[in-house]
Amino acid sequence: MIKRIFDWLRQPLGLVAVGIAFLALFSLAAYGIYYTQQPPAQPIQFPHKTHVAFGIQCLYCHPGAERGPSPGLPSTAKCWACHQQIAKTQTSLLLAPLVESVRTGVPVQWVPVAQVPDFVQYNHRPHIAAGLNCEDCHGDLTKMTIYENPQVMNMGWCLNCHKEKSAGNPELETKLLDCGTCHY
Amino acid sequence: MMNKSNIPEVGANFAEGEQGKWGMVIDRDLCTGCQACVAACSMENNVAFVGEEDSGYGRSMHWIRIERFWEGEYPEVKMTSQQPVLCQQCGHAPCEPVCPPFAAVHSQAEQLNLQVYNRCVGTRYCANNCPYQVRVFNWRDYTDDRLDPALVTLKNQYNPDVTVRRRGVMEKCTFCIQRIHKAQDKAKSEGREVADGEFTTACAQACPANAITFGRVDNPESLVSQLAGQNRGSKLLEELGTLPQVTYLNGG
């Protein structure tokens, strides 16, 4: 039985079939890898670089980073405070979801990108207080349109920095390399 | 005192006379067994409701339970005292050395027994080795709303500071480590030390009789140290050498 299948595969038609099957599998894998590496679709193609270029501080729109665990995403009111004075806002197709949000009162449904899993308890405040800058983890926002993580945010990446910063300070090392600092 | 462990993640390396860091005092004379601590703990720490059927199998999940004591034979029964039992946060914990993936580790920073949920593979060795029987296991996905649509309504009452555990994970009392971290974070942002009594655990906060006190045992000035220093204090199964951090007061 198996010998008959091999014989069939060796003839020209069989070889073509093998080739097509290989190509199909390869393209499926390539599509899968490509698809999972795409940043999620956002309601507004928010250009970070434009806003940074105007000199707006990160903490103006994400003030929670200085105070607590979550930096927060700006509310419609905060966007509108500046944007209602910009004539282009009313006509721009890209900003239509913002105008719609102001009109209906339904918040813009941003999709968070820099996320950690549920079993990680991350707090922005101590990181900012320790003198880290936003771009140390989030990359150069002057070159980004929609935010993308500049690196994979996994535990190895966290611990590399924690080890580096706590080297030579046993008390800090105990705190920063403790499981219970992030996982509970 | 104790042999120092070769593995830094297992067991506290207490020097002679050292007490640990966080401790609790439970006054059995004040406890009325009202179960407020049990309810408060479940709310604070996202402890799942297992339902009637699993409860019947003895799989009910509580991080703190009330043990009852009574005198006499039924129906002439007289309740004498109650004893809330939670994880004793042992300095030399029996659960830690038996965990194959090191999910039950000792926090050297806070001197607590940790359960690292993402490391836990559910061997349940730790629960079998715990002399206090305070570790509980997630036998099912009790929090998955895809399995039970009624759970969707519970989503908004989860505490965001605590992981929602999934199936196959062991869990136990953490001494409300999220509150410890929050208080430390707040104190640090204001440039001071955490004051005694500034925060407390959910069970201690809920106790209407103030039977539970939480604080630093390494600070002799703290309320918990002063209560634990009374001569009516005792610890559960102390003879096992587990160095429990919870002191029970009895016979006042």
Side-chain angles (χ1 to χ4, degrees), chain A residues 67-68 118-121 123 125-126 155 172 174-175 178-181 183-184, chain B residues 105 107-110 114 117-118 160-164 177-178 181 184-185 189:
Chain A
R67 303 185 201 132
D118 185 35
F119 51 73
V120 181
Q121 310 294 337
N123 192 345
R125 195 207 67 80
M155 191 169 129
L172 194 62
T174 316
K175 178 73 186 163
D178 195 62
C179 301
T181 301
H183 300 293
Y184 46 84
Chain B
V105 287
S107 163
Q108 302 299 343
E110 304 300 335
L114 299 173
Y117 306 122
N118 46 321
D161 297 336
V162 180
T163 309
V164 178
I177 192 169
Q178 69 278 9
H181 280 314
Q184 284 174 340
D185 191 51
S189 69

PDB file of all heavy atoms in Angstrom, chain A residues 67-68 118-121 123 125-126 155 172 174-175 178-181 183-184, chain B residues 105 107-110 114 117-118 160-164 177-178 181 184-185 189:
ATOM      1  N   ARG A  67       2.323  58.499  38.851  1.00  0.00           N
ATOM      2  CA  ARG A  67       1.592  58.383  40.119  1.00  0.00           C
ATOM      3  C   ARG A  67       1.286  56.951  40.518  1.00  0.00           C
ATOM      4  O   ARG A  67       1.136  56.660  41.697  1.00  0.00           O
ATOM      5  CB  ARG A  67       0.256  59.114  40.022  1.00  0.00           C
ATOM      6  CG  ARG A  67       0.380  60.558  39.659  1.00  0.00           C
ATOM      7  CD  ARG A  67      -0.990  61.213  39.699  1.00  0.00           C
ATOM      8  NE  ARG A  67      -0.996  62.416  38.905  1.00  0.00           N
ATOM      9  CZ  ARG A  67      -1.920  62.716  38.012  1.00  0.00           C
ATOM     10  NH1 ARG A  67      -2.922  61.878  37.809  1.00  0.00           N
ATOM     11  NH2 ARG A  67      -1.859  63.824  37.320  1.00  0.00           N
ATOM     12  N   GLY A  68       1.124  56.064  39.562  1.00  0.00           N
ATOM     13  CA  GLY A  68       0.652  54.734  39.959  1.00  0.00           C
ATOM     14  C   GLY A  68       0.975  53.664  38.955  1.00  0.00           C
ATOM     15  O   GLY A  68       1.828  53.832  38.089  1.00  0.00           O
ATOM     16  N   ASP A 118      -1.630  38.745  33.009  1.00  0.00           N
ATOM     17  CA  ASP A 118      -2.386  38.984  34.241  1.00  0.00           C
ATOM     18  C   ASP A 118      -1.571  38.639  35.481  1.00  0.00           C
ATOM     19  O   ASP A 118      -1.743  39.249  36.534  1.00  0.00           O
ATOM     20  CB  ASP A 118      -3.680  38.154  34.198  1.00  0.00           C
ATOM     21  CG  ASP A 118      -4.581  38.453  35.383  1.00  0.00           C
ATOM     22  OD1 ASP A 118      -4.609  39.622  35.805  1.00  0.00           O
ATOM     23  OD2 ASP A 118      -5.252  37.530  35.860  1.00  0.00           O
ATOM     24  N   PHE A 119      -0.666  37.650  35.362  1.00  0.00           N
ATOM     25  CA  PHE A 119       0.069  37.222  36.559  1.00  0.00           C
ATOM     26  C   PHE A 119       1.282  38.107  36.847  1.00  0.00           C
ATOM     27  O   PHE A 119       2.081  37.789  37.726  1.00  0.00           O
ATOM     28  CB  PHE A 119       0.478  35.746  36.444  1.00  0.00           C
ATOM     29  CG  PHE A 119       1.182  35.384  35.161  1.00  0.00           C
ATOM     30  CD1 PHE A 119       2.473  35.770  34.925  1.00  0.00           C
ATOM     31  CD2 PHE A 119       0.517  34.641  34.191  1.00  0.00           C
ATOM     32  CE1 PHE A 119       3.117  35.428  33.751  1.00  0.00           C
ATOM     33  CE2 PHE A 119       1.143  34.299  33.011  1.00  0.00           C
ATOM     34  CZ  PHE A 119       2.454  34.692  32.797  1.00  0.00           C
ATOM     35  N   VAL A 120       1.426  39.187  36.105  1.00  0.00           N
ATOM     36  CA  VAL A 120       2.498  40.146  36.373  1.00  0.00           C
ATOM     37  C   VAL A 120       1.867  41.421  36.916  1.00  0.00           C
ATOM     38  O   VAL A 120       0.959  41.977  36.299  1.00  0.00           O
ATOM     39  CB  VAL A 120       3.293  40.458  35.089  1.00  0.00           C
ATOM     40  CG1 VAL A 120       4.422  41.424  35.394  1.00  0.00           C
ATOM     41  CG2 VAL A 120       3.824  39.201  34.462  1.00  0.00           C
ATOM     42  N   GLN A 121       2.322  41.854  38.078  1.00  0.00           N
ATOM     43  CA  GLN A 121       1.798  43.088  38.656  1.00  0.00           C
ATOM     44  C   GLN A 121       2.835  44.178  38.422  1.00  0.00           C
ATOM     45  O   GLN A 121       3.803  44.296  39.158  1.00  0.00           O
ATOM     46  CB  GLN A 121       1.518  42.901  40.148  1.00  0.00           C
ATOM     47  CG  GLN A 121       0.706  41.668  40.483  1.00  0.00           C
ATOM     48  CD  GLN A 121      -0.707  41.733  39.957  1.00  0.00           C
ATOM     49  OE1 GLN A 121      -1.243  42.809  39.711  1.00  0.00           O
ATOM     50  NE2 GLN A 121      -1.324  40.582  39.758  1.00  0.00           N
ATOM     51  N   ASN A 123       4.089  48.105  37.964  1.00  0.00           N
ATOM     52  CA  ASN A 123       3.792  49.439  38.476  1.00  0.00           C
ATOM     53  C   ASN A 123       4.734  50.438  37.809  1.00  0.00           C
ATOM     54  O   ASN A 123       5.954  50.293  37.885  1.00  0.00           O
ATOM     55  CB  ASN A 123       3.981  49.460  39.999  1.00  0.00           C
ATOM     56  CG  ASN A 123       3.427  50.713  40.630  1.00  0.00           C
ATOM     57  OD1 ASN A 123       3.153  51.700  39.943  1.00  0.00           O
ATOM     58  ND2 ASN A 123       3.263  50.691  41.933  1.00  0.00           N
ATOM     59  N   ARG A 125       5.103  53.706  38.537  1.00  0.00           N
ATOM     60  CA  ARG A 125       5.645  54.754  39.394  1.00  0.00           C
ATOM     61  C   ARG A 125       7.089  54.522  39.853  1.00  0.00           C
ATOM     62  O   ARG A 125       7.935  55.393  39.657  1.00  0.00           O
ATOM     63  CB  ARG A 125       4.739  54.978  40.602  1.00  0.00           C
ATOM     64  CG  ARG A 125       5.027  56.267  41.329  1.00  0.00           C
ATOM     65  CD  ARG A 125       4.650  56.172  42.783  1.00  0.00           C
ATOM     66  NE  ARG A 125       5.486  55.248  43.512  1.00  0.00           N
ATOM     67  CZ  ARG A 125       6.705  55.523  43.963  1.00  0.00           C
ATOM     68  NH1 ARG A 125       7.228  56.708  43.765  1.00  0.00           N
ATOM     69  NH2 ARG A 125       7.402  54.613  44.594  1.00  0.00           N
ATOM     70  N   PRO A 126       7.409  53.330  40.451  1.00  0.00           N
ATOM     71  CA  PRO A 126       8.793  53.163  40.911  1.00  0.00           C
ATOM     72  C   PRO A 126       9.811  53.222  39.782  1.00  0.00           C
ATOM     73  O   PRO A 126      10.959  53.609  40.021  1.00  0.00           O
ATOM     74  CB  PRO A 126       8.779  51.779  41.579  1.00  0.00           C
ATOM     75  CG  PRO A 126       7.500  51.160  41.254  1.00  0.00           C
ATOM     76  CD  PRO A 126       6.559  52.203  40.816  1.00  0.00           C
ATOM     77  N   MET A 155      10.017  38.244  30.782  1.00  0.00           N
ATOM     78  CA  MET A 155      10.640  38.327  32.096  1.00  0.00           C
ATOM     79  C   MET A 155      12.166  38.452  31.999  1.00  0.00           C
ATOM     80  O   MET A 155      12.789  39.122  32.820  1.00  0.00           O
ATOM     81  CB  MET A 155      10.251  37.092  32.905  1.00  0.00           C
ATOM     82  CG  MET A 155      10.604  37.192  34.354  1.00  0.00           C
ATOM     83  SD  MET A 155       9.845  35.869  35.276  1.00  0.00           S
ATOM     84  CE  MET A 155      11.244  35.252  36.146  1.00  0.00           C
ATOM     85  N   LEU A 172      18.934  46.129  47.535  1.00  0.00           N
ATOM     86  CA  LEU A 172      18.134  46.377  46.330  1.00  0.00           C
ATOM     87  C   LEU A 172      18.024  45.110  45.491  1.00  0.00           C
ATOM     88  O   LEU A 172      16.985  44.827  44.889  1.00  0.00           O
ATOM     89  CB  LEU A 172      18.783  47.504  45.521  1.00  0.00           C
ATOM     90  CG  LEU A 172      17.942  48.133  44.424  1.00  0.00           C
ATOM     91  CD1 LEU A 172      16.715  48.787  45.010  1.00  0.00           C
ATOM     92  CD2 LEU A 172      18.761  49.155  43.653  1.00  0.00           C
ATOM     93  N   THR A 174      17.961  42.028  46.584  1.00  0.00           N
ATOM     94  CA  THR A 174      16.948  41.154  47.192  1.00  0.00           C
ATOM     95  C   THR A 174      15.562  41.588  46.756  1.00  0.00           C
ATOM     96  O   THR A 174      14.714  40.769  46.433  1.00  0.00           O
ATOM     97  CB  THR A 174      17.030  41.235  48.730  1.00  0.00           C
ATOM     98  OG1 THR A 174      18.390  41.189  49.102  1.00  0.00           O
ATOM     99  CG2 THR A 174      16.284  40.106  49.388  1.00  0.00           C
ATOM    100  N   LYS A 175      15.343  42.889  46.743  1.00  0.00           N
ATOM    101  CA  LYS A 175      14.022  43.421  46.400  1.00  0.00           C
ATOM    102  C   LYS A 175      13.720  43.233  44.906  1.00  0.00           C
ATOM    103  O   LYS A 175      12.644  42.764  44.527  1.00  0.00           O
ATOM    104  CB  LYS A 175      13.979  44.910  46.778  1.00  0.00           C
ATOM    105  CG  LYS A 175      12.692  45.621  46.435  1.00  0.00           C
ATOM    106  CD  LYS A 175      11.568  45.215  47.365  1.00  0.00           C
ATOM    107  CE  LYS A 175      10.258  45.826  46.913  1.00  0.00           C
ATOM    108  NZ  LYS A 175       9.124  45.154  47.539  1.00  0.00           N
ATOM    109  N   ASP A 178      13.330  39.496  43.669  1.00  0.00           N
ATOM    110  CA  ASP A 178      12.377  38.684  44.413  1.00  0.00           C
ATOM    111  C   ASP A 178      11.165  38.358  43.540  1.00  0.00           C
ATOM    112  O   ASP A 178      10.643  39.229  42.850  1.00  0.00           O
ATOM    113  CB  ASP A 178      11.946  39.482  45.649  1.00  0.00           C
ATOM    114  CG  ASP A 178      11.243  38.617  46.663  1.00  0.00           C
ATOM    115  OD1 ASP A 178      11.894  37.698  47.159  1.00  0.00           O
ATOM    116  OD2 ASP A 178      10.060  38.865  46.928  1.00  0.00           O
ATOM    117  N   CYS A 179      10.729  37.098  43.573  1.00  0.00           N
ATOM    118  CA  CYS A 179       9.552  36.716  42.766  1.00  0.00           C
ATOM    119  C   CYS A 179       8.335  37.562  43.139  1.00  0.00           C
ATOM    120  O   CYS A 179       7.550  37.979  42.304  1.00  0.00           O
ATOM    121  CB  CYS A 179       9.195  35.254  42.969  1.00  0.00           C
ATOM    122  SG  CYS A 179      10.474  34.088  42.549  1.00  0.00           S
ATOM    123  N   GLY A 180       8.209  37.791  44.485  1.00  0.00           N
ATOM    124  CA  GLY A 180       7.022  38.469  44.992  1.00  0.00           C
ATOM    125  C   GLY A 180       6.944  39.937  44.631  1.00  0.00           C
ATOM    126  O   GLY A 180       5.936  40.581  44.893  1.00  0.00           O
ATOM    127  N   THR A 181       7.993  40.474  44.036  1.00  0.00           N
ATOM    128  CA  THR A 181       7.933  41.875  43.616  1.00  0.00           C
ATOM    129  C   THR A 181       6.944  42.062  42.471  1.00  0.00           C
ATOM    130  O   THR A 181       6.273  43.087  42.384  1.00  0.00           O
ATOM    131  CB  THR A 181       9.348  42.349  43.212  1.00  0.00           C
ATOM    132  OG1 THR A 181      10.208  42.179  44.337  1.00  0.00           O
ATOM    133  CG2 THR A 181       9.361  43.803  42.808  1.00  0.00           C
ATOM    134  N   HIS A 183       5.096  39.007  40.998  1.00  0.00           N
ATOM    135  CA  HIS A 183       4.126  37.915  40.871  1.00  0.00           C
ATOM    136  C   HIS A 183       3.393  37.665  42.184  1.00  0.00           C
ATOM    137  O   HIS A 183       4.008  37.223  43.149  1.00  0.00           O
ATOM    138  CB  HIS A 183       4.824  36.631  40.426  1.00  0.00           C
ATOM    139  CG  HIS A 183       5.515  36.750  39.099  1.00  0.00           C
ATOM    140  ND1 HIS A 183       4.825  36.918  37.927  1.00  0.00           N
ATOM    141  CD2 HIS A 183       6.818  36.735  38.761  1.00  0.00           C
ATOM    142  CE1 HIS A 183       5.685  36.996  36.931  1.00  0.00           C
ATOM    143  NE2 HIS A 183       6.903  36.894  37.397  1.00  0.00           N
ATOM    144  N   TYR A 184       2.107  37.980  42.220  1.00  0.00           N
ATOM    145  CA  TYR A 184       1.278  37.614  43.374  1.00  0.00           C
ATOM    146  C   TYR A 184      -0.182  37.648  42.982  1.00  0.00           C
ATOM    147  O   TYR A 184      -0.498  38.034  41.853  1.00  0.00           O
ATOM    148  CB  TYR A 184       1.525  38.538  44.562  1.00  0.00           C
ATOM    149  CG  TYR A 184       1.563  40.005  44.284  1.00  0.00           C
ATOM    150  CD1 TYR A 184       0.389  40.745  44.212  1.00  0.00           C
ATOM    151  CD2 TYR A 184       2.773  40.656  44.081  1.00  0.00           C
ATOM    152  CE1 TYR A 184       0.428  42.092  43.949  1.00  0.00           C
ATOM    153  CE2 TYR A 184       2.818  42.012  43.825  1.00  0.00           C
ATOM    154  CZ  TYR A 184       1.640  42.734  43.758  1.00  0.00           C
ATOM    155  OH  TYR A 184       1.690  44.070  43.494  1.00  0.00           O
TER     156      TYR A 184
ATOM    157  N   VAL B 105       8.131  29.545  46.663  1.00  0.00           N
ATOM    158  CA  VAL B 105       9.465  30.040  47.028  1.00  0.00           C
ATOM    159  C   VAL B 105       9.331  31.011  48.190  1.00  0.00           C
ATOM    160  O   VAL B 105       8.261  31.505  48.498  1.00  0.00           O
ATOM    161  CB  VAL B 105      10.165  30.737  45.845  1.00  0.00           C
ATOM    162  CG1 VAL B 105      10.617  29.748  44.825  1.00  0.00           C
ATOM    163  CG2 VAL B 105       9.276  31.799  45.246  1.00  0.00           C
ATOM    164  N   SER B 107      10.089  34.564  49.770  1.00  0.00           N
ATOM    165  CA  SER B 107      10.466  35.923  49.410  1.00  0.00           C
ATOM    166  C   SER B 107      11.480  36.431  50.425  1.00  0.00           C
ATOM    167  O   SER B 107      11.157  36.593  51.593  1.00  0.00           O
ATOM    168  CB  SER B 107       9.228  36.815  49.415  1.00  0.00           C
ATOM    169  OG  SER B 107       9.625  38.167  49.461  1.00  0.00           O
ATOM    170  N   GLN B 108      12.690  36.654  49.986  1.00  0.00           N
ATOM    171  CA  GLN B 108      13.706  37.152  50.915  1.00  0.00           C
ATOM    172  C   GLN B 108      13.481  38.617  51.222  1.00  0.00           C
ATOM    173  O   GLN B 108      13.918  39.112  52.255  1.00  0.00           O
ATOM    174  CB  GLN B 108      15.121  36.936  50.347  1.00  0.00           C
ATOM    175  CG  GLN B 108      15.458  35.487  50.035  1.00  0.00           C
ATOM    176  CD  GLN B 108      15.409  34.571  51.245  1.00  0.00           C
ATOM    177  OE1 GLN B 108      15.430  35.025  52.385  1.00  0.00           O
ATOM    178  NE2 GLN B 108      15.305  33.270  51.021  1.00  0.00           N
ATOM    179  N   ALA B 109      12.792  39.312  50.342  1.00  0.00           N
ATOM    180  CA  ALA B 109      12.560  40.739  50.560  1.00  0.00           C
ATOM    181  C   ALA B 109      11.477  40.971  51.604  1.00  0.00           C
ATOM    182  O   ALA B 109      11.609  41.842  52.465  1.00  0.00           O
ATOM    183  CB  ALA B 109      12.189  41.419  49.252  1.00  0.00           C
ATOM    184  N   GLU B 110      10.394  40.188  51.538  1.00  0.00           N
ATOM    185  CA  GLU B 110       9.276  40.397  52.453  1.00  0.00           C
ATOM    186  C   GLU B 110       9.167  39.301  53.496  1.00  0.00           C
ATOM    187  O   GLU B 110       8.296  39.355  54.365  1.00  0.00           O
ATOM    188  CB  GLU B 110       7.950  40.486  51.681  1.00  0.00           C
ATOM    189  CG  GLU B 110       7.901  41.558  50.601  1.00  0.00           C
ATOM    190  CD  GLU B 110       8.123  42.958  51.147  1.00  0.00           C
ATOM    191  OE1 GLU B 110       7.845  43.172  52.337  1.00  0.00           O
ATOM    192  OE2 GLU B 110       8.602  43.817  50.406  1.00  0.00           O
ATOM    193  N   LEU B 114       5.813  32.614  49.045  1.00  0.00           N
ATOM    194  CA  LEU B 114       5.141  33.051  47.815  1.00  0.00           C
ATOM    195  C   LEU B 114       4.598  31.850  47.086  1.00  0.00           C
ATOM    196  O   LEU B 114       5.119  30.750  47.197  1.00  0.00           O
ATOM    197  CB  LEU B 114       6.125  33.763  46.890  1.00  0.00           C
ATOM    198  CG  LEU B 114       6.792  35.020  47.401  1.00  0.00           C
ATOM    199  CD1 LEU B 114       7.841  35.450  46.404  1.00  0.00           C
ATOM    200  CD2 LEU B 114       5.768  36.105  47.590  1.00  0.00           C
ATOM    201  N   TYR B 117       2.196  31.843  40.530  1.00  0.00           N
ATOM    202  CA  TYR B 117       1.161  31.104  39.794  1.00  0.00           C
ATOM    203  C   TYR B 117       1.624  30.664  38.413  1.00  0.00           C
ATOM    204  O   TYR B 117       1.261  29.606  37.932  1.00  0.00           O
ATOM    205  CB  TYR B 117      -0.103  31.958  39.667  1.00  0.00           C
ATOM    206  CG  TYR B 117      -0.619  32.461  40.989  1.00  0.00           C
ATOM    207  CD1 TYR B 117      -0.769  33.810  41.232  1.00  0.00           C
ATOM    208  CD2 TYR B 117      -0.959  31.563  41.992  1.00  0.00           C
ATOM    209  CE1 TYR B 117      -1.239  34.266  42.444  1.00  0.00           C
ATOM    210  CE2 TYR B 117      -1.422  32.004  43.214  1.00  0.00           C
ATOM    211  CZ  TYR B 117      -1.569  33.363  43.441  1.00  0.00           C
ATOM    212  OH  TYR B 117      -2.022  33.807  44.635  1.00  0.00           O
ATOM    213  N   ASN B 118       2.413  31.493  37.749  1.00  0.00           N
ATOM    214  CA  ASN B 118       2.812  31.132  36.390  1.00  0.00           C
ATOM    215  C   ASN B 118       3.882  30.052  36.376  1.00  0.00           C
ATOM    216  O   ASN B 118       4.121  29.432  35.358  1.00  0.00           O
ATOM    217  CB  ASN B 118       3.277  32.355  35.606  1.00  0.00           C
ATOM    218  CG  ASN B 118       4.221  33.228  36.386  1.00  0.00           C
ATOM    219  OD1 ASN B 118       4.044  33.415  37.581  1.00  0.00           O
ATOM    220  ND2 ASN B 118       5.226  33.743  35.724  1.00  0.00           N
ATOM    221  N   PRO B 160      -8.034  44.175  40.762  1.00  0.00           N
ATOM    222  CA  PRO B 160      -7.042  44.205  39.673  1.00  0.00           C
ATOM    223  C   PRO B 160      -5.612  44.013  40.159  1.00  0.00           C
ATOM    224  O   PRO B 160      -4.720  43.740  39.355  1.00  0.00           O
ATOM    225  CB  PRO B 160      -7.236  45.589  39.059  1.00  0.00           C
ATOM    226  CG  PRO B 160      -7.867  46.406  40.129  1.00  0.00           C
ATOM    227  CD  PRO B 160      -8.676  45.468  40.964  1.00  0.00           C
ATOM    228  N   ASP B 161      -5.372  44.151  41.456  1.00  0.00           N
ATOM    229  CA  ASP B 161      -4.010  44.013  41.977  1.00  0.00           C
ATOM    230  C   ASP B 161      -3.621  42.563  42.221  1.00  0.00           C
ATOM    231  O   ASP B 161      -2.488  42.284  42.601  1.00  0.00           O
ATOM    232  CB  ASP B 161      -3.878  44.778  43.305  1.00  0.00           C
ATOM    233  CG  ASP B 161      -4.098  46.261  43.117  1.00  0.00           C
ATOM    234  OD1 ASP B 161      -3.906  46.734  41.990  1.00  0.00           O
ATOM    235  OD2 ASP B 161      -4.472  46.939  44.094  1.00  0.00           O
ATOM    236  N   VAL B 162      -4.572  41.651  42.041  1.00  0.00           N
ATOM    237  CA  VAL B 162      -4.288  40.247  42.324  1.00  0.00           C
ATOM    238  C   VAL B 162      -4.580  39.427  41.071  1.00  0.00           C
ATOM    239  O   VAL B 162      -5.576  39.657  40.386  1.00  0.00           O
ATOM    240  CB  VAL B 162      -5.154  39.747  43.505  1.00  0.00           C
ATOM    241  CG1 VAL B 162      -4.870  38.295  43.809  1.00  0.00           C
ATOM    242  CG2 VAL B 162      -4.916  40.590  44.732  1.00  0.00           C
ATOM    243  N   THR B 163      -3.700  38.485  40.794  1.00  0.00           N
ATOM    244  CA  THR B 163      -3.879  37.604  39.651  1.00  0.00           C
ATOM    245  C   THR B 163      -5.163  36.790  39.803  1.00  0.00           C
ATOM    246  O   THR B 163      -5.451  36.298  40.896  1.00  0.00           O
ATOM    247  CB  THR B 163      -2.698  36.628  39.555  1.00  0.00           C
ATOM    248  OG1 THR B 163      -1.496  37.372  39.615  1.00  0.00           O
ATOM    249  CG2 THR B 163      -2.744  35.810  38.288  1.00  0.00           C
ATOM    250  N   VAL B 164      -5.898  36.640  38.703  1.00  0.00           N
ATOM    251  CA  VAL B 164      -7.019  35.694  38.698  1.00  0.00           C
ATOM    252  C   VAL B 164      -6.437  34.343  38.274  1.00  0.00           C
ATOM    253  O   VAL B 164      -5.934  34.199  37.172  1.00  0.00           O
ATOM    254  CB  VAL B 164      -8.123  36.150  37.727  1.00  0.00           C
ATOM    255  CG1 VAL B 164      -9.243  35.135  37.689  1.00  0.00           C
ATOM    256  CG2 VAL B 164      -8.665  37.498  38.136  1.00  0.00           C
ATOM    257  N   ILE B 177      -0.111  40.585  50.066  1.00  0.00           N
ATOM    258  CA  ILE B 177       1.150  41.187  49.601  1.00  0.00           C
ATOM    259  C   ILE B 177       0.891  42.383  48.692  1.00  0.00           C
ATOM    260  O   ILE B 177       1.693  43.313  48.618  1.00  0.00           O
ATOM    261  CB  ILE B 177       2.030  40.116  48.898  1.00  0.00           C
ATOM    262  CG1 ILE B 177       3.437  40.639  48.675  1.00  0.00           C
ATOM    263  CG2 ILE B 177       1.399  39.619  47.623  1.00  0.00           C
ATOM    264  CD1 ILE B 177       4.421  39.582  48.241  1.00  0.00           C
ATOM    265  N   GLN B 178      -0.291  42.401  48.033  1.00  0.00           N
ATOM    266  CA  GLN B 178      -0.602  43.555  47.192  1.00  0.00           C
ATOM    267  C   GLN B 178      -0.792  44.808  48.031  1.00  0.00           C
ATOM    268  O   GLN B 178      -0.430  45.908  47.622  1.00  0.00           O
ATOM    269  CB  GLN B 178      -1.833  43.272  46.310  1.00  0.00           C
ATOM    270  CG  GLN B 178      -3.162  43.173  47.026  1.00  0.00           C
ATOM    271  CD  GLN B 178      -3.390  41.814  47.643  1.00  0.00           C
ATOM    272  OE1 GLN B 178      -2.495  40.984  47.686  1.00  0.00           O
ATOM    273  NE2 GLN B 178      -4.592  41.571  48.137  1.00  0.00           N
ATOM    274  N   HIS B 181       2.719  45.915  49.173  1.00  0.00           N
ATOM    275  CA  HIS B 181       3.408  46.637  48.104  1.00  0.00           C
ATOM    276  C   HIS B 181       2.831  48.031  47.914  1.00  0.00           C
ATOM    277  O   HIS B 181       3.565  48.983  47.687  1.00  0.00           O
ATOM    278  CB  HIS B 181       3.315  45.852  46.800  1.00  0.00           C
ATOM    279  CG  HIS B 181       4.305  44.733  46.726  1.00  0.00           C
ATOM    280  ND1 HIS B 181       5.618  44.884  47.058  1.00  0.00           N
ATOM    281  CD2 HIS B 181       4.176  43.445  46.361  1.00  0.00           C
ATOM    282  CE1 HIS B 181       6.258  43.740  46.906  1.00  0.00           C
ATOM    283  NE2 HIS B 181       5.399  42.841  46.484  1.00  0.00           N
ATOM    284  N   GLN B 184       4.015  50.221  50.754  1.00  0.00           N
ATOM    285  CA  GLN B 184       5.437  50.527  50.597  1.00  0.00           C
ATOM    286  C   GLN B 184       5.655  51.531  49.480  1.00  0.00           C
ATOM    287  O   GLN B 184       6.469  52.448  49.588  1.00  0.00           O
ATOM    288  CB  GLN B 184       6.224  49.240  50.296  1.00  0.00           C
ATOM    289  CG  GLN B 184       6.443  48.367  51.511  1.00  0.00           C
ATOM    290  CD  GLN B 184       7.083  47.055  51.152  1.00  0.00           C
ATOM    291  OE1 GLN B 184       7.031  46.628  49.994  1.00  0.00           O
ATOM    292  NE2 GLN B 184       7.663  46.395  52.129  1.00  0.00           N
ATOM    293  N   ASP B 185       4.896  51.350  48.396  1.00  0.00           N
ATOM    294  CA  ASP B 185       5.026  52.236  47.246  1.00  0.00           C
ATOM    295  C   ASP B 185       4.602  53.654  47.620  1.00  0.00           C
ATOM    296  O   ASP B 185       5.269  54.628  47.273  1.00  0.00           O
ATOM    297  CB  ASP B 185       4.152  51.695  46.111  1.00  0.00           C
ATOM    298  CG  ASP B 185       4.420  52.393  44.805  1.00  0.00           C
ATOM    299  OD1 ASP B 185       5.600  52.476  44.424  1.00  0.00           O
ATOM    300  OD2 ASP B 185       3.466  52.861  44.167  1.00  0.00           O
ATOM    301  N   SER B 189       7.006  56.936  47.828  1.00  0.00           N
ATOM    302  CA  SER B 189       6.762  58.124  47.011  1.00  0.00           C
ATOM    303  C   SER B 189       6.690  59.370  47.886  1.00  0.00           C
ATOM    304  O   SER B 189       6.917  60.477  47.410  1.00  0.00           O
ATOM    305  CB  SER B 189       5.470  57.969  46.211  1.00  0.00           C
ATOM    306  OG  SER B 189       4.361  58.004  47.070  1.00  0.00           O
TER     307      SER B 189
END
